[in-house]
Amino acid sequence: MSWLYLLLAGMTEIGWPIGLKMAQSGESKVTGIAVAIFFMTISGMLLWLAQKEIPMGTAYAVWTGIGASGTFLIGIWLYGDPTSLTRYLGVLFIILGVVVLKFAH
C-alpha cells in the first residue's frame, strides 16, 4: 500500500507547479495559488503515509522523480515548453532512477 501512496503522492506533486503556473496569469492568480496549496497538501500527506514503510531517501527520490518527470511532460504538452533530445534523455534518466529505486527496495 505504501508504494501506491507514493505513486499517488508523485502524481499529485505535479499539480502544484501547474497551480503556480496558473497563478502567473492575473485573472487566475488566487485560483492558481489555491490549486497549488491543495495539491501540496495532498501530495505531502500521501508522502507522509508512504514513508511509514518506505525509507525516507527512497520515498523522497521517487516522489520528486515522478513529480519532475510529470511536470516536464505537462509543461511540454500544455504550456509549450521547449523540447530537445537532451531534455528527453534527462527525464528518461530520472524515470530509470525511480525504477531502480523501486526494485532495489
Side-chain angles (χ1 to χ4, degrees):
M1 195 66 175
S2 291
W3 282 97
L4 177 60
Y5 289 143
L6 187 55
L7 176 65
L8 293 173
M11 292 173 68
T12 55
E13 175 76 356
I14 298 166
W16 70 268
I18 293 172
L20 294 177
K21 183 68 173 177
M22 289 169 54
Q24 298 299 316
S25 171
E27 65 269 1
S28 63
K29 182 172 279 195
V30 173
T31 303
I33 292 171
V35 167
I37 291 170
F38 172 79
F39 280 105
M40 283 179 194
T41 303
I42 299 302
S43 182
M45 290 175 67
L46 288 165
L47 177 62
W48 174 75
L49 288 170
Q51 285 182 338
K52 289 184 176 187
E53 294 183 17
I54 300 171
M56 179 179 64
T58 301
Y60 184 73
V62 170
W63 179 63
T64 57
I66 294 169
S69 300
T71 302
F72 170 80
L73 293 173
I74 294 295
I76 291 168
W77 292 333
L78 298 182
Y79 295 100
D81 287 357
T83 63
S84 70
L85 178 59
T86 307
R87 293 187 82 218
Y88 280 112
L89 284 173
V91 170
L92 178 63
F93 288 139
I94 292 170
I95 294 167
L96 290 173
V98 167
V99 170
V100 167
L101 285 170
K102 165 60 176 127
F103 286 117
H105 182 272

